[in-house]
Amino acid sequence: MRGRVWVDLWRLRASRLLTGTAGDPVGAAAIQKELLEACMRVLGPDHPDTLTTMGVLAHWRDEAGDHSGASTAWKKLLTARVRILGPDHPDSLIAWDQLASSRAKAGDPEGAAAAAAELAAGLMRLSGPDHPRTLAARGHLAYYQGMASDADAAAIALTQLLEDCLRTLGPDHPDTRATWEGAAYWAARAHAEAP
């Protein structure tokens, strides 16, 4: 019986991959949901394959335009990964990053900023303040803050980030230039919105 279950799980995985790459993310998400239910039954909620399946489901929901559903799926995965692996594990940090992105796409910039803040803090602990991923996470956090109607916070955060980018990446690096442009944009927005 166990062998039959594995064959069915692999058949579902292959079907999901083919469906999604054929341009049907809604169909891929539906198959992935069925696969997740099977993984939960057979492997349990904490098995690495179950967790990976949760992430793939979230991905296909995002691809299908179901950003609220994707956000919910990323949040469930994040909760499980933090519980099992800890908040600073790379897989937990990836889930925080994806959750922030899905929340932003779903029209929840406050939720995106909250997830991005957790990601930036985790990367700061794990990789240090000057690591390119940490710098990028800080930039995303500032952007989400601006989108959440806090142009002042975004401008301040990007100005501080710009100093770090100039010091670590140099003035000609594309991320430094993007940070410069972002800081100027949000500073202008903050100035325009000032009473």
Side-chain angles (χ1 to χ4, degrees), residues 162-181:
L162 179 59
E163 292 172 16
D164 294 336
C165 287
L166 285 166
R167 180 176 45 80
T168 59
L169 303 174
D172 296 327
H173 193 280
D175 290 349
T176 303
R177 283 191 240 133
T179 302
W180 193 301
E181 291 169 6

Side-chain angles (χ1 to χ4, degrees), residues 35-128:
L35 178 59
L36 177 59
E37 291 166 358
C39 285
M40 292 286 246
R41 272 192 324 272
V42 175
L43 304 173
D46 295 342
H47 191 280
D49 285 348
T50 302
L51 298 177
T52 298
T53 302
M54 288 173 122
V56 175
L57 172 60
H59 164 78
W60 285 118
R61 283 184 171 163
D62 246 346
E63 289 293 311
D66 178 12
H67 304 303
S68 293
S71 293
T72 299
W74 284 120
K75 180 64 178 167
K76 285 180 184 176
L77 176 61
L78 173 62
T79 301
R81 292 228 165 148
V82 167
R83 180 175 46 78
I84 296 165
L85 304 172
D88 293 339
H89 190 279
D91 289 346
S92 298
L93 296 174
I94 289 169
W96 254 310
D97 187 30
Q98 295 300 320
L99 175 61
S101 176
S102 285
R103 283 183 169 171
K105 292 176 196 170
D108 178 14
E110 293 86 2
E118 293 289 346
L119 172 64
L123 287 170
M124 186 81 74
R125 288 188 302 271
L126 190 66
S127 303

Side-chain angles (χ1 to χ4, degrees), residues 14 31 33 47 95 105 113 130 139 142 145 159-160 162 170 176 188:
I31 294 169
K33 184 174 185 282
H47 191 280
K105 292 176 196 170
D130 295 334
Q145 287 173 321
T159 300
Q160 292 168 348
L162 179 59
T176 303

